[in-house]
Every structure is written in C-alpha cells, then in structure tokens.
Short mmCIF file of all heavy atoms in Angstrom, two decimals:
data_model
loop_
_atom_site.label_atom_id
_atom_site.label_comp_id
_atom_site.label_asym_id
_atom_site.label_seq_id
_atom_site.Cartn_x
_atom_site.Cartn_y
_atom_site.Cartn_z
N GLU A 7 -18.09 -16.59 7.62
CA GLU A 7 -17.26 -17.72 7.40
C GLU A 7 -15.75 -17.31 7.45
O GLU A 7 -14.93 -17.94 8.07
CB GLU A 7 -17.47 -18.37 6.04
CG GLU A 7 -16.67 -19.62 5.69
CD GLU A 7 -16.85 -20.73 6.75
OE1 GLU A 7 -17.96 -20.90 7.24
OE2 GLU A 7 -15.89 -21.48 6.99
N LYS A 8 -15.42 -16.17 6.77
CA LYS A 8 -14.04 -15.67 6.77
C LYS A 8 -13.61 -15.21 8.13
O LYS A 8 -12.45 -15.48 8.55
CB LYS A 8 -13.96 -14.48 5.75
CG LYS A 8 -12.61 -13.84 5.69
CD LYS A 8 -12.64 -12.82 4.56
CE LYS A 8 -11.30 -12.06 4.49
NZ LYS A 8 -11.31 -11.03 3.42
N PHE A 9 -14.54 -14.61 8.92
CA PHE A 9 -14.20 -14.08 10.19
C PHE A 9 -14.06 -15.18 11.25
O PHE A 9 -13.09 -15.22 12.02
CB PHE A 9 -15.25 -13.14 10.70
CG PHE A 9 -14.92 -12.38 11.99
CD1 PHE A 9 -14.17 -11.22 11.97
CD2 PHE A 9 -15.37 -12.89 13.17
CE1 PHE A 9 -13.81 -10.63 13.17
CE2 PHE A 9 -15.10 -12.26 14.34
CZ PHE A 9 -14.28 -11.08 14.35
N LEU A 10 -14.90 -16.20 11.20
CA LEU A 10 -14.91 -17.24 12.18
C LEU A 10 -13.97 -18.31 11.83
O LEU A 10 -13.47 -18.98 12.75
CB LEU A 10 -16.31 -17.78 12.38
CG LEU A 10 -17.38 -16.83 12.89
CD1 LEU A 10 -18.78 -17.37 12.80
CD2 LEU A 10 -17.06 -16.43 14.29
N ASN A 11 -13.73 -18.57 10.52
CA ASN A 11 -12.88 -19.69 10.18
C ASN A 11 -11.88 -19.21 9.05
O ASN A 11 -11.96 -19.64 7.93
CB ASN A 11 -13.75 -20.80 9.56
CG ASN A 11 -14.74 -21.35 10.59
OD1 ASN A 11 -14.40 -21.87 11.65
ND2 ASN A 11 -16.05 -21.21 10.21
N PRO A 12 -11.02 -18.35 9.50
CA PRO A 12 -10.06 -17.78 8.50
C PRO A 12 -9.07 -18.83 8.00
O PRO A 12 -8.64 -19.65 8.77
CB PRO A 12 -9.29 -16.67 9.25
CG PRO A 12 -9.42 -17.04 10.72
CD PRO A 12 -10.75 -17.77 10.83
N ASN A 13 -8.80 -18.78 6.73
CA ASN A 13 -7.77 -19.72 6.14
C ASN A 13 -7.10 -19.01 4.99
O ASN A 13 -7.48 -17.90 4.63
CB ASN A 13 -8.41 -21.04 5.68
CG ASN A 13 -9.52 -20.80 4.67
OD1 ASN A 13 -9.40 -20.11 3.70
ND2 ASN A 13 -10.68 -21.45 4.89
N ALA A 14 -6.09 -19.57 4.50
CA ALA A 14 -5.24 -18.94 3.41
C ALA A 14 -6.13 -18.58 2.23
O ALA A 14 -5.98 -17.47 1.62
CB ALA A 14 -4.08 -19.84 3.01
N GLU A 15 -7.01 -19.51 1.92
CA GLU A 15 -7.83 -19.29 0.66
C GLU A 15 -8.82 -18.12 0.79
O GLU A 15 -8.95 -17.37 -0.14
CB GLU A 15 -8.61 -20.56 0.33
CG GLU A 15 -9.34 -20.51 -0.96
CD GLU A 15 -10.01 -21.85 -1.32
OE1 GLU A 15 -10.26 -22.68 -0.39
OE2 GLU A 15 -10.37 -22.06 -2.50
N ASN A 16 -9.46 -17.96 1.92
CA ASN A 16 -10.40 -16.87 2.07
C ASN A 16 -9.82 -15.60 2.62
O ASN A 16 -10.56 -14.62 2.79
CB ASN A 16 -11.65 -17.34 2.88
CG ASN A 16 -11.30 -17.70 4.36
OD1 ASN A 16 -10.33 -17.17 4.93
ND2 ASN A 16 -12.16 -18.42 4.98
N SER A 17 -8.55 -15.58 3.05
CA SER A 17 -7.99 -14.45 3.72
C SER A 17 -6.91 -13.71 2.92
O SER A 17 -6.80 -12.43 2.98
CB SER A 17 -7.41 -14.85 5.09
OG SER A 17 -8.40 -15.39 5.95
N TYR A 18 -6.04 -14.44 2.20
CA TYR A 18 -4.93 -13.82 1.56
C TYR A 18 -5.30 -12.94 0.38
O TYR A 18 -6.19 -13.34 -0.46
CB TYR A 18 -3.93 -14.89 1.04
CG TYR A 18 -2.94 -15.41 2.09
CD1 TYR A 18 -2.53 -16.75 2.01
CD2 TYR A 18 -2.44 -14.62 3.10
CE1 TYR A 18 -1.60 -17.22 2.95
CE2 TYR A 18 -1.63 -15.08 4.05
CZ TYR A 18 -1.16 -16.43 3.95
OH TYR A 18 -0.30 -16.84 4.87
N HIS A 19 -4.68 -11.78 0.28
CA HIS A 19 -4.82 -10.91 -0.93
C HIS A 19 -3.51 -11.05 -1.69
O HIS A 19 -2.49 -11.34 -1.19
CB HIS A 19 -5.04 -9.46 -0.52
CG HIS A 19 -6.26 -9.23 0.30
ND1 HIS A 19 -7.53 -9.47 -0.16
CD2 HIS A 19 -6.38 -8.86 1.65
CE1 HIS A 19 -8.40 -9.18 0.81
NE2 HIS A 19 -7.75 -8.82 1.90
N ASN A 20 -3.63 -10.80 -3.04
CA ASN A 20 -2.44 -10.82 -3.88
C ASN A 20 -1.49 -9.73 -3.49
O ASN A 20 -1.85 -8.53 -3.49
CB ASN A 20 -2.86 -10.64 -5.31
CG ASN A 20 -1.74 -10.68 -6.29
OD1 ASN A 20 -0.57 -10.66 -5.92
ND2 ASN A 20 -2.08 -10.74 -7.54
N PRO A 21 -0.27 -10.04 -3.02
CA PRO A 21 0.66 -9.01 -2.54
C PRO A 21 1.04 -7.99 -3.65
O PRO A 21 1.36 -6.85 -3.33
CB PRO A 21 1.91 -9.76 -2.12
CG PRO A 21 1.76 -11.11 -2.80
CD PRO A 21 0.33 -11.37 -2.95
N PHE A 22 0.86 -8.39 -4.92
CA PHE A 22 1.26 -7.46 -5.96
C PHE A 22 0.21 -6.38 -6.21
O PHE A 22 0.45 -5.45 -7.00
CB PHE A 22 1.51 -8.26 -7.29
CG PHE A 22 2.81 -9.04 -7.23
CD1 PHE A 22 2.82 -10.38 -6.99
CD2 PHE A 22 4.03 -8.34 -7.45
CE1 PHE A 22 4.02 -11.08 -6.92
CE2 PHE A 22 5.22 -9.04 -7.44
CZ PHE A 22 5.25 -10.44 -7.15
N LEU A 23 -0.87 -6.44 -5.42
CA LEU A 23 -1.87 -5.36 -5.48
C LEU A 23 -1.31 -4.12 -4.72
O LEU A 23 -1.84 -3.03 -4.87
CB LEU A 23 -3.18 -5.75 -4.90
CG LEU A 23 -3.96 -6.82 -5.63
CD1 LEU A 23 -5.20 -7.26 -4.84
CD2 LEU A 23 -4.37 -6.35 -7.00
N MET A 24 -0.28 -4.34 -3.91
CA MET A 24 0.28 -3.23 -3.14
C MET A 24 1.16 -2.38 -4.01
O MET A 24 1.99 -2.92 -4.78
CB MET A 24 1.06 -3.74 -1.93
CG MET A 24 1.01 -2.93 -0.70
SD MET A 24 1.78 -3.68 0.72
CE MET A 24 0.54 -4.87 1.18
N LYS A 25 1.06 -1.10 -3.92
CA LYS A 25 1.80 -0.13 -4.69
C LYS A 25 3.35 -0.42 -4.54
O LYS A 25 3.79 -0.65 -3.41
CB LYS A 25 1.48 1.25 -4.31
CG LYS A 25 2.19 2.35 -5.16
CD LYS A 25 1.75 3.72 -4.76
CE LYS A 25 2.28 4.80 -5.70
NZ LYS A 25 3.67 4.94 -5.72
N ASP A 26 4.06 -0.44 -5.64
CA ASP A 26 5.51 -0.57 -5.73
C ASP A 26 5.99 -2.01 -5.37
O ASP A 26 7.20 -2.21 -5.29
CB ASP A 26 6.26 0.44 -4.83
CG ASP A 26 6.42 1.80 -5.49
OD1 ASP A 26 5.89 1.96 -6.60
OD2 ASP A 26 7.07 2.71 -4.93
N MET A 27 5.09 -2.91 -5.08
CA MET A 27 5.51 -4.24 -4.71
C MET A 27 6.34 -4.90 -5.87
O MET A 27 7.36 -5.57 -5.64
CB MET A 27 4.30 -5.13 -4.40
CG MET A 27 4.66 -6.52 -3.88
SD MET A 27 5.63 -6.54 -2.33
CE MET A 27 4.31 -6.40 -1.16
N ASP A 28 5.88 -4.70 -7.06
CA ASP A 28 6.63 -5.25 -8.18
C ASP A 28 8.05 -4.71 -8.30
O ASP A 28 9.00 -5.41 -8.57
CB ASP A 28 5.83 -5.11 -9.55
CG ASP A 28 5.46 -3.63 -9.71
OD1 ASP A 28 5.54 -2.82 -8.85
OD2 ASP A 28 5.06 -3.33 -10.90
N LYS A 29 8.18 -3.38 -8.11
CA LYS A 29 9.46 -2.71 -8.11
C LYS A 29 10.39 -3.32 -7.06
O LYS A 29 11.55 -3.67 -7.25
CB LYS A 29 9.29 -1.24 -7.84
CG LYS A 29 8.82 -0.40 -9.03
CD LYS A 29 8.92 1.02 -8.62
CE LYS A 29 8.14 1.88 -9.58
NZ LYS A 29 8.17 3.35 -9.11
N ALA A 30 9.79 -3.42 -5.82
CA ALA A 30 10.65 -3.84 -4.63
C ALA A 30 11.07 -5.36 -4.92
O ALA A 30 12.27 -5.62 -4.65
CB ALA A 30 9.75 -3.80 -3.40
N VAL A 31 10.22 -6.20 -5.42
CA VAL A 31 10.65 -7.62 -5.65
C VAL A 31 11.74 -7.61 -6.71
O VAL A 31 12.69 -8.40 -6.51
CB VAL A 31 9.37 -8.37 -6.07
CG1 VAL A 31 9.80 -9.76 -6.65
CG2 VAL A 31 8.39 -8.55 -4.89
N ASP A 32 11.61 -6.91 -7.77
CA ASP A 32 12.56 -6.95 -8.84
C ASP A 32 13.92 -6.43 -8.27
O ASP A 32 14.99 -7.05 -8.70
CB ASP A 32 12.11 -6.07 -10.02
CG ASP A 32 11.02 -6.70 -10.84
OD1 ASP A 32 10.71 -7.95 -10.69
OD2 ASP A 32 10.35 -6.02 -11.60
N ILE A 33 13.97 -5.38 -7.50
CA ILE A 33 15.19 -4.83 -6.96
C ILE A 33 15.82 -5.83 -6.08
O ILE A 33 17.06 -6.13 -6.14
CB ILE A 33 14.89 -3.56 -6.17
CG1 ILE A 33 14.50 -2.41 -7.15
CG2 ILE A 33 16.16 -3.13 -5.39
CD1 ILE A 33 13.91 -1.20 -6.44
N ILE A 34 15.04 -6.50 -5.21
CA ILE A 34 15.59 -7.51 -4.21
C ILE A 34 16.17 -8.72 -4.94
O ILE A 34 17.24 -9.16 -4.69
CB ILE A 34 14.52 -7.91 -3.22
CG1 ILE A 34 14.20 -6.74 -2.31
CG2 ILE A 34 14.97 -9.13 -2.40
CD1 ILE A 34 12.96 -6.90 -1.40
N ILE A 35 15.42 -9.22 -5.93
CA ILE A 35 15.87 -10.39 -6.65
C ILE A 35 17.11 -10.09 -7.43
O ILE A 35 18.09 -10.88 -7.45
CB ILE A 35 14.77 -10.95 -7.61
CG1 ILE A 35 13.66 -11.59 -6.73
CG2 ILE A 35 15.33 -11.97 -8.55
CD1 ILE A 35 12.49 -12.05 -7.52
N SER A 36 17.19 -8.94 -8.02
CA SER A 36 18.41 -8.53 -8.79
C SER A 36 19.61 -8.35 -7.88
O SER A 36 20.70 -8.77 -8.17
CB SER A 36 18.16 -7.17 -9.48
OG SER A 36 19.32 -6.68 -10.10
N THR A 37 19.32 -7.78 -6.65
CA THR A 37 20.41 -7.64 -5.66
C THR A 37 20.96 -8.98 -5.18
O THR A 37 22.16 -9.19 -5.07
CB THR A 37 19.85 -6.86 -4.40
OG1 THR A 37 19.44 -5.60 -4.87
CG2 THR A 37 20.98 -6.64 -3.38
N ILE A 38 20.05 -9.91 -4.99
CA ILE A 38 20.41 -11.30 -4.58
C ILE A 38 21.20 -12.00 -5.70
O ILE A 38 22.25 -12.58 -5.48
CB ILE A 38 19.22 -12.10 -4.24
CG1 ILE A 38 18.61 -11.59 -2.91
CG2 ILE A 38 19.52 -13.58 -4.08
CD1 ILE A 38 17.27 -12.15 -2.57
N ASP A 39 20.67 -11.85 -6.97
CA ASP A 39 21.33 -12.53 -8.10
C ASP A 39 22.77 -11.96 -8.34
O ASP A 39 23.64 -12.72 -8.86
CB ASP A 39 20.54 -12.31 -9.33
CG ASP A 39 19.22 -13.11 -9.37
OD1 ASP A 39 19.12 -14.02 -8.51
OD2 ASP A 39 18.32 -12.85 -10.19
N HIS A 40 22.98 -10.70 -7.97
CA HIS A 40 24.33 -10.12 -8.15
C HIS A 40 25.22 -10.23 -6.93
O HIS A 40 26.29 -9.66 -6.81
CB HIS A 40 24.19 -8.59 -8.56
CG HIS A 40 23.70 -8.40 -9.96
ND1 HIS A 40 22.39 -8.36 -10.25
CD2 HIS A 40 24.40 -8.24 -11.16
CE1 HIS A 40 22.24 -8.14 -11.58
NE2 HIS A 40 23.43 -8.09 -12.12
N ASN A 41 24.72 -11.04 -5.98
CA ASN A 41 25.49 -11.32 -4.74
C ASN A 41 25.86 -10.08 -3.95
O ASN A 41 26.93 -9.94 -3.42
CB ASN A 41 26.72 -12.16 -5.10
CG ASN A 41 27.19 -13.02 -3.95
OD1 ASN A 41 26.40 -13.50 -3.12
ND2 ASN A 41 28.51 -13.27 -3.80
N GLU A 42 24.89 -9.13 -3.97
CA GLU A 42 25.15 -7.88 -3.27
C GLU A 42 24.62 -7.89 -1.84
O GLU A 42 23.85 -8.78 -1.49
CB GLU A 42 24.45 -6.74 -4.05
CG GLU A 42 25.09 -6.51 -5.42
CD GLU A 42 24.33 -5.45 -6.25
OE1 GLU A 42 23.08 -5.19 -5.91
OE2 GLU A 42 24.89 -4.88 -7.12
N LYS A 43 25.07 -6.92 -1.04
CA LYS A 43 24.75 -6.98 0.39
C LYS A 43 23.42 -6.22 0.72
O LYS A 43 23.18 -5.09 0.18
CB LYS A 43 25.90 -6.25 1.20
CG LYS A 43 27.17 -7.04 1.18
CD LYS A 43 28.22 -6.28 1.98
CE LYS A 43 29.59 -6.95 2.00
NZ LYS A 43 30.58 -6.13 2.77
N ILE A 44 22.59 -6.86 1.53
CA ILE A 44 21.32 -6.26 1.92
C ILE A 44 21.34 -5.99 3.47
O ILE A 44 21.84 -6.88 4.23
CB ILE A 44 20.20 -7.21 1.65
CG1 ILE A 44 20.10 -7.50 0.15
CG2 ILE A 44 18.84 -6.64 2.16
CD1 ILE A 44 19.06 -8.50 -0.23
N ARG A 45 20.92 -4.88 3.88
CA ARG A 45 20.68 -4.58 5.37
C ARG A 45 19.28 -4.28 5.60
O ARG A 45 18.67 -3.37 5.02
CB ARG A 45 21.65 -3.45 5.84
CG ARG A 45 21.50 -3.17 7.31
CD ARG A 45 22.72 -2.52 7.88
NE ARG A 45 23.85 -3.44 7.88
CZ ARG A 45 25.13 -3.08 8.09
NH1 ARG A 45 25.44 -1.87 8.34
NH2 ARG A 45 26.07 -4.05 8.07
N ILE A 46 18.71 -4.90 6.61
CA ILE A 46 17.36 -4.67 7.11
C ILE A 46 17.45 -3.62 8.23
O ILE A 46 18.28 -3.78 9.16
CB ILE A 46 16.68 -5.96 7.63
CG1 ILE A 46 16.80 -7.07 6.68
CG2 ILE A 46 15.24 -5.61 8.01
CD1 ILE A 46 16.15 -6.81 5.33
N VAL A 47 16.68 -2.56 8.21
CA VAL A 47 16.65 -1.58 9.26
C VAL A 47 15.26 -1.59 9.88
O VAL A 47 14.27 -1.18 9.27
CB VAL A 47 17.02 -0.17 8.76
CG1 VAL A 47 16.92 0.82 9.94
CG2 VAL A 47 18.43 -0.20 8.17
N GLY A 48 15.17 -2.12 11.11
CA GLY A 48 13.87 -2.26 11.77
C GLY A 48 13.62 -1.14 12.81
O GLY A 48 14.22 -0.10 12.70
N ASP A 49 12.79 -1.43 13.75
CA ASP A 49 12.40 -0.54 14.80
C ASP A 49 12.56 -1.24 16.13
O ASP A 49 12.68 -2.44 16.16
CB ASP A 49 10.98 0.08 14.62
CG ASP A 49 10.67 1.21 15.51
OD1 ASP A 49 11.68 1.93 15.84
OD2 ASP A 49 9.54 1.39 15.91
N TYR A 50 12.51 -0.46 17.25
CA TYR A 50 12.84 -1.04 18.55
C TYR A 50 11.67 -1.60 19.33
O TYR A 50 11.85 -1.97 20.52
CB TYR A 50 13.53 0.04 19.38
CG TYR A 50 13.04 1.41 19.39
CD1 TYR A 50 11.78 1.68 20.02
CD2 TYR A 50 13.70 2.42 18.74
CE1 TYR A 50 11.28 2.90 20.01
CE2 TYR A 50 13.14 3.73 18.74
CZ TYR A 50 11.97 3.93 19.37
OH TYR A 50 11.40 5.24 19.37
N ASP A 51 10.45 -1.68 18.75
CA ASP A 51 9.40 -2.34 19.48
C ASP A 51 9.07 -3.71 18.96
O ASP A 51 9.79 -4.23 18.15
CB ASP A 51 8.08 -1.40 19.41
CG ASP A 51 7.55 -1.39 17.97
OD1 ASP A 51 8.17 -1.90 17.06
OD2 ASP A 51 6.44 -0.79 17.75
N GLN A 52 8.02 -4.35 19.48
CA GLN A 52 7.69 -5.75 19.11
C GLN A 52 7.48 -5.85 17.65
O GLN A 52 7.95 -6.82 16.95
CB GLN A 52 6.55 -6.20 19.92
CG GLN A 52 5.95 -7.51 19.47
CD GLN A 52 6.94 -8.72 19.67
OE1 GLN A 52 7.07 -9.22 20.75
NE2 GLN A 52 7.48 -9.19 18.57
N ASP A 53 6.69 -4.95 17.06
CA ASP A 53 6.37 -5.04 15.66
C ASP A 53 7.66 -4.86 14.84
O ASP A 53 7.82 -5.49 13.81
CB ASP A 53 5.31 -3.95 15.24
CG ASP A 53 4.83 -4.12 13.90
OD1 ASP A 53 4.94 -5.26 13.30
OD2 ASP A 53 4.31 -3.20 13.28
N GLY A 54 8.54 -3.94 15.31
CA GLY A 54 9.80 -3.75 14.60
C GLY A 54 10.67 -5.02 14.62
O GLY A 54 11.27 -5.42 13.64
#
C-alpha cells in the first residue's frame, strides 16, 4: 500500500527523529527572530 499508493500519512517520518534537528531548528528560528543574516551554501549539481 505504501509503495504503490504513497501519501503524506503513510510516508512522512517525524523530522525531529534526525540527529541535531532540534538544535538546527532552534538556531535558525533564533537567527530569524534577531533579524540576522543567513547564507545558504549549496552545490553545483541538480541536487545542490
């Protein structure tokens, strides 16, 4: 069912299960709240 008919309910995992996700979110929200500058550094391929 999940493979043939994927949907948000049967596919999504809780992102906070990922290591350091809580730290990253708190840092980003604090940076935004303090009106600080953020720079994204990507890569040069399609996934980047």
